[in-house]
Amino acid sequence: MKCLRVPTSVAQREQVFSIMLSSTLLTVSCGPNTVPVLIWTLAASLVLWSEVSASDNTKKCKLLSESVSERSVLSRLEPLTEQNFTTGDKNYTYVFQMCGDADGVQGAGVIQKENGIKKPTIVGRYNSTQAIGGSDWVMLIYSNGEGYDSHCSHETRRAIVMISCDRKADKGQLTVVKEDRDRKDCYYLFELDSSVLCPVVQSHISTGTIIIIIGICLLAVYLIGGFLYQRLVVGAKGMEQFPNIAFWQEFGNLTADGCDFVCRSRPREEAPTYRGVATEPLDEEEQEERDDHLLPM
């Protein structure tokens, strides 16, 4: 039995997808006996199409020095691809796109449009890319833009986009910080905040917390279930709807007695005792003896 090699490139996958789609259409016309084949063919076609659609758009960026570390940094910015980020001031408008044609300008990663002038100026190209990343930030550099006319020693323009973590910003807003012309290697500095680069916050729940949560859930089930049983099955009313109310009342009394016994700060005063009154009539002699101490000496 021969094993089939899975196509790796996007072009090969698209070609296989088109072939399988055509074979699927032929299978439909073959009759009802080919329904299982049709289902399997459609499933394989959808899998291949999903892989084609999930291609890495950041691979369009060509690094000045190809490395695994820089390529992994770019892959973190995949959710920001295929969209334009725009900012500007009174005189200029800037458009940035991640590994794509900014505002449709071929090969341009960042462009500058002067108000009133249709032709844009390419600030940086994504075929000359550098990527430096940290835990929650990435510094993206597009080089090889159009040259300066009269300053910066006629060097080519360069765009530096500082992308930082901001959990409140989904797409993020591009802002232009400055254009530095006071040095030989001039550059445009931009900032972009996005939640894409924010590290995942892992919640650690302790064992005690888990036990407390389980206990609360069990208590809630006991109370709700017991209440419904007492009300709907037994037909209890008022406080009698509370499950096992006699037990809990006795438990409360015993708890109160135990607390009183443990927390009492001084001994309890004994109640005075009284001599009981005899129910039988006393003899005359006994009555005289009891009254003798009342007579004056």
Side-chain angles (χ1 to χ4, degrees), residues 90 102-103 158 171 174 182 200 210 223 237 241 273 283:
K90 295 181 180 179
D103 203 27
R158 184 176 55 149
K171 179 180 177 181
L174 181 69
D182 300 331
V200 179
I210 296 176
L223 292 176
K237 301 294 183 181
Q241 298 176 96
T273 58
D283 295 337

Side-chain angles (χ1 to χ4, degrees), residues 208-240:
T209 304
I210 296 176
I211 295 175
I212 292 174
I213 293 174
I214 294 175
I216 293 175
C217 294
L218 293 177
L219 179 61
V221 171
Y222 168 75
L223 292 176
I224 296 175
F227 173 82
L228 293 176
Y229 176 80
Q230 290 292 109
R231 182 177 181 86
L232 301 178
V233 178
V234 180
K237 301 294 183 181
M239 290 296 296
E240 297 297 327

Side-chain angles (χ1 to χ4, degrees), residues 29 187-188 208 212 296:
S29 62
Y187 62 87
Y188 294 77
I212 292 174

Side-chain angles (χ1 to χ4, degrees), residues 17 20-21 23-24 35-51:
F17 174 75
M20 296 186 70
L21 183 60
S23 64
T24 302
V35 172
V37 179
L38 172 62
I39 295 175
W40 283 108
T41 307
L42 285 174
S45 302
L46 290 174
V47 171
L48 285 175
W49 178 250
S50 63
E51 291 181 356

Side-chain angles (χ1 to χ4, degrees), residues 6-262:
V6 179
T8 56
S9 65
V10 176
Q12 289 176 345
R13 289 177 181 176
E14 290 179 349
Q15 184 178 4
V16 173
F17 174 75
S18 60
I19 294 173
M20 296 186 70
L21 183 60
S22 62
S23 64
T24 302
L25 296 176
L26 292 175
T27 306
V28 173
S29 62
C30 290
N33 296 328
T34 58
V35 172
V37 179
L38 172 62
I39 295 175
W40 283 108
T41 307
L42 285 174
S45 302
L46 290 174
V47 171
L48 285 175
W49 178 250
S50 63
E51 291 181 356
V52 171
S53 302
S55 58
D56 191 357
N57 293 313
T58 57
K59 292 183 178 179
K60 297 178 182 178
C61 282
K62 294 183 180 180
L63 297 172
L64 293 178
S65 179
E66 187 70 33
S67 65
V68 178
S69 60
E70 287 193 61
R71 186 59 63 182
S72 63
V73 171
L74 285 177
S75 63
R76 296 168 56 190
L77 301 175
E78 176 66 27
L80 299 178
T81 58
E82 297 184 340
Q83 51 185 321
N84 288 320
F85 299 90
T86 306
T87 186
D89 50 27
K90 295 181 180 179
N91 300 321
Y92 299 100
T93 300
Y94 300 91
V95 182
F96 160 70
Q97 186 170 146
M98 181 66 203
C99 297
D101 299 332
D103 203 27
V105 179
Q106 187 69 28
V110 177
I111 62 171
Q112 179 191 55
K113 295 191 293 184
E114 187 175 359
N115 297 337
I117 299 178
K118 294 183 179 181
K119 183 181 178 180
T121 300
I122 299 178
V123 178
R125 291 180 169 87
Y126 57 84
N127 61 359
S128 301
T129 303
Q130 292 175 274
I132 304 171
S135 59
D136 59 353
W137 59 271
V138 169
M139 184 171 66
L140 188 68
I141 303 175
Y142 285 155
S143 304
N144 200 23
E146 296 184 14
Y148 286 98
D149 296 330
S150 57
H151 45 273
C152 295
S153 302
H154 302 283
E155 294 288 336
T156 57
R157 288 175 168 84
R158 184 176 55 149
I160 301 177
V161 183
M162 192 68 187
I163 307 174
S164 305
C165 163
D166 187 356
R167 298 188 184 277
K168 297 180 181 180
D170 184 14
K171 179 180 177 181
Q173 179 64 39
L174 181 69
T175 57
V176 55
V177 179
K178 67 174 181 177
E179 178 186 3
D180 193 346
R181 298 182 180 181
D182 300 331
R183 46 191 297 169
K184 182 179 179 180
D185 49 346
C186 302
Y187 62 87
Y188 294 77
L189 181 59
F190 302 90
E191 288 183 349
L192 177 64
D193 294 331
S194 176
S195 60
V196 172
L197 295 178
C198 295
V200 179
V201 178
Q202 298 180 353
S203 58
H204 299 282
I205 302 178
S206 62
T207 305
T209 304
I210 296 176
I211 295 175
I212 292 174
I213 293 174
I214 294 175
I216 293 175
C217 294
L218 293 177
L219 179 61
V221 171
Y222 168 75
L223 292 176
I224 296 175
F227 173 82
L228 293 176
Y229 176 80
Q230 290 292 109
R231 182 177 181 86
L232 301 178
V233 178
V234 180
K237 301 294 183 181
M239 290 296 296
E240 297 297 327
Q241 298 176 96
F242 194 89
N244 305 109
I245 185 170
F247 167 78
W248 292 114
Q249 286 177 342
E250 182 65 21
F251 179 79
N253 293 333
L254 293 175
T255 304
D257 293 340
C259 181
D260 180 63
F261 177 78
V262 173

